[in-house]
Structure formats: structure tokens, C-alpha cells
Amino acid sequence: MKTNEKRELSYFQSLLGKYIGEHHPELSNDKAFLSSRADEALNVYANAITIGLSDLEAEEAANEVLYNGLHFSKYDTIVEVLWNEFAENIPQSLAEKLAAILLGNTAVQKTFAKYKLDDDFDGKPEYDELYTELTGCIQIIIERNELPVF
């Protein structure tokens, strides 16, 4: 980023939209969330510049607001389980599509609901429990629905 470069709302909307699309596809259609979060980030950025912070410091502050609560991703966790535990049966190219479908599955949602998911969850011991439960849950879904495996 160039020194003294100003940021606009569209910049933060673009950053967040890309991130959401890659890590939280379930939020992709939540325009109110995307808009309000980008607006918050822009306000933090502008206030930081006003009080004399550098562009880099201002952007770091804005990014904290922009990505708050979004560091842990249910979607990424499902993809990881599919890649690691079902790699022999589900090609990586299909894992992301299947993960998006599984994200909406009631049993998968109930599995996630058992845990207090926050930005640091993947570094906590409970993450391993979730991972194991998701693996079993996905295995049952595949078997019960007679999903084709490769």
C-alpha cells in the first residue's frame, strides 16, 4: 500500500466479499452483514488516520474489525476433514463443493452447535473433538445417503 493512500468503502467490501466467498460461503448472501462490517472497517480506518496512525496501522485496525469473528471457518473445517479423512474416496476437486452442501446439513450443524466457536477455536483442544465428531458425522451421512465415492 502506498503512503497516504485513502481507502474507500468498496475496498473493504471487496476484501470481505472475497474472504467470505472463500471461507464462509454461508454468509455470501448476507448483504446487510457485508455492508455493515465493511462500513465499520472504513470508519475505523478513517478514525485511525485522523488520529495520526500510519496507513499500515490504520489498515491493521480496520482489518481487526473487518474479520472479527471470521477467523474460524466451519466450511474450511469440513473441507479439511474431507481432504484428510476421505481423500481416497472423495477427490479434492469435489471436496469444496461437498463441503458447501454439508455445511447446510442438520446433523453437521448440530455437531458444530455443541462447541463455542470463536476466532481461536482451531487452536483449542476442543477442535480435535469437533474434528473427530465431524469425521464420524460425515461418514454416517455418506453411508445413509449412499453417496457415490470414488
Side-chain angles (χ1 to χ4, degrees):
M1 182 168 69
K2 297 177 184 176
T3 305
N4 296 325
E5 185 175 337
K6 292 186 178 181
R7 294 291 177 216
E8 295 182 8
L9 183 60
S10 62
Y11 171 77
F12 292 108
Q13 288 172 329
S14 177
L15 282 179
L16 184 59
K18 184 176 190 297
Y19 185 82
I20 290 291
E22 293 173 358
H23 303 286
H24 296 277
E26 72 278 13
L27 297 175
S28 291
N29 293 325
D30 190 344
K31 304 301 181 201
F33 170 77
L34 295 170
S35 180
S36 68
R37 184 62 70 91
D39 190 51
E40 265 184 271
L42 177 61
N43 286 333
V44 167
Y45 177 85
N47 289 338
I49 293 295
T50 300
I51 64 169
L53 295 181
S54 70
D55 289 331
L56 181 59
E57 292 168 322
E59 186 156 351
E60 286 173 358
N63 284 343
E64 284 184 36
V65 169
L66 195 65
Y67 301 116
N68 184 41
L70 299 173
H71 296 289
F72 176 78
S73 166
K74 294 177 186 179
Y75 171 78
D76 288 345
T77 304
I78 295 169
V79 169
E80 182 180 357
V81 167
L82 293 173
W83 283 357
N84 294 338
E85 308 302 328
F86 299 93
E88 291 182 15
N89 299 322
I90 300 170
Q92 281 193 350
S93 60
L94 293 179
E96 292 177 359
K97 291 177 184 168
L98 182 56
I101 294 168
L102 288 170
L103 194 55
N105 181 279
T106 303
V108 171
Q109 289 176 2
K110 286 181 181 179
T111 301
F112 279 114
K114 295 177 186 178
Y115 298 91
K116 185 180 181 304
L117 306 174
D118 59 22
D119 282 343
D120 302 319
F121 184 75
D122 59 351
K124 295 179 180 176
E126 294 86 1
Y127 177 80
D128 292 336
E129 294 173 27
L130 170 64
Y131 185 97
T132 300
E133 280 191 59
L134 273 178
T135 300
C137 181
I138 291 169
Q139 181 66 43
I140 291 169
I141 292 169
I142 289 171
E143 290 172 1
R144 285 193 180 155
N145 292 290
E146 299 178 2
L147 296 178
V149 288
F150 301 88

